[in-house]
Amino acid sequence: EVQLVESGGGLVQPGGSLSLSCSASGFPFSSYTMSWVRQVPGKGLEWVSSINAPGTVTNDADSVKGRFTISRDNAKNTLYLQLNSLKTEDTAMYYCADGVRKAVDGTIVYDNRGQGTQVTVSS
């Protein structure tokens, strides 16, 4: 059974930082491209960042480029997201997921995701 468990969210002031983690089990983590996605209540999933299986190639959404950094430790089956220079518009539930892609209708879909960790940016 695939399990993805996120942690590290919280309340932070604008300009602050957070570090998110996602512990994976039940599948060959080191063989999969992994991603972070986020969702605000009432809105669809937004892709944030992806990293390839060996961790050598990353891609970030324009909205977070230069502020967020995705990484992974395949020996620990763990995915990370470092969030710096946080803005109020970064407030969302953050999920790690595999198989993230854009459907024909433009929505973001995935194969498996965790339960999420809440990030709230507010003064």
Side-chain angles (χ1 to χ4, degrees):
E1 179 190 2
V2 173
Q3 283 201 320
L4 298 166
V5 180
E6 302 91 340
S7 61
L11 173 64
V12 63
Q13 292 186 338
S17 298
L18 280 175
S19 295
L20 307 185
S21 298
C22 172
S23 178
S25 62
F27 69 107
F29 177 78
S30 62
S31 298
Y32 280 72
T33 291
M34 295 297 297
S35 301
W36 288 95
V37 295
R38 64 186 182 185
Q39 189 167 29
V40 174
K43 293 190 176 182
L45 276 178
E46 178 188 8
W47 168 72
V48 174
S49 187
S50 295
I51 186 167
N52 69 343
T56 56
V57 179
T58 63
N59 285 294
D60 304 308
D62 288 343
S63 58
V64 306
K65 199 162 292 188
R67 300 187 299 119
F68 292 7
T69 303
I70 189 172
S71 62
R72 66 193 297 163
D73 186 335
N74 286 342
K76 296 182 178 180
N77 282 1
T78 303
L79 180 72
Y80 304 99
L81 187 67
Q82 178 67 36
L83 295 72
N84 296 329
S85 302
L86 281 160
K87 305 175 181 179
T88 55
E89 52 263 43
D90 294 319
T91 294
M93 185 72 78
Y94 283 72
Y95 303 90
C96 67
D98 71 278
V100 173
R101 57 205 181 272
K102 188 174 285 188
V104 292
D105 62 357
T107 59
I108 298 298
V109 296
Y110 56 88
D111 290 339
N112 301 282
R113 77 172 192 191
Q115 85 291 344
T117 188
Q118 178 68 38
V119 171
T120 302
V121 185
S122 175
S123 55

